[in-house]
Amino acid sequence: MRAMSYRSHYSAIYVENTALRAENARLRHELKEGRAAMAEVRRDRDDAERRRVRATCLSCGGIILPVAVFAGHRLREPLPLRMSTARFLDPTGGYTEASLVHARACAACGLIHHFVAIDGGAAPTDDEGPR
């Protein structure tokens, strides 16, 4: 048996090292894709849960529908009900003065769910119902 020469020993290690680096890069790429897919699935699941919670009554689990909430006595000129939000920070900086009060009523038990869109967003639309 002949012993391996000094140069071919290091050449074999170099080839093996190169192969391991290529496999490591491939595995890192697969891991990155897997994490991105998992994050997308988690985001979709969270969105579905948010829509489901927004569309079901907290009391009885029935369907909630949007209703209008107004203030004042003049039927021809109703005032949208507003709530002071001076204690909440405005995302753009500073404080807001007031935000619209949105409401939804349960079709089964009649419970009215009020919420304030502090971020300035509109009330959830009907197409955001359970899916």
Side-chain angles (χ1 to χ4, degrees), residues 66-71 79-85 98-104 112-118 121-124:
V67 293
V69 179
F70 292 103
L79 300 171
L81 191 60
R82 298 178 85 77
M83 178 180 136
S84 173
T85 56
S99 290
L100 286 174
V101 175
H102 301 287
R104 289 183 160 240
I112 297 177
H113 303 267
H114 295 282
F115 65 94
V116 178
I118 294 174

Side-chain angles (χ1 to χ4, degrees), residues 12-105:
I13 290 175
Y14 176 77
V15 169
E16 186 177 348
N17 187 11
T18 305
L20 289 174
R21 285 179 187 255
E23 183 181 3
N24 190 18
R26 182 186 58 80
L27 291 173
R28 285 182 189 270
H29 181 68
E30 285 180 14
L31 181 64
K32 185 178 179 181
E33 286 179 347
R35 285 182 177 163
M38 187 175 64
E40 185 178 344
V41 167
R42 185 179 300 131
R43 194 171 31 253
D44 291 345
R45 188 176 50 211
D46 290 347
D47 288 344
E49 179 68 15
R50 218 173 280 116
R51 281 193 303 271
R52 187 191 64 75
V53 168
R54 230 183 231 179
T56 58
C57 179
L58 298 174
S59 176
C60 71
I63 297 172
I64 57 176
L65 304 170
V67 293
V69 179
F70 292 103
H73 297 288
R74 297 181 297 222
L75 295 177
R76 294 196 184 276
E77 298 173 13
L79 300 171
L81 191 60
R82 298 178 85 77
M83 178 180 136
S84 173
T85 56
R87 66 178 182 262
F88 301 110
L89 282 174
D90 184 353
T92 59
Y95 292 92
T96 57
E97 292 180 15
S99 290
L100 286 174
V101 175
H102 301 287
R104 289 183 160 240

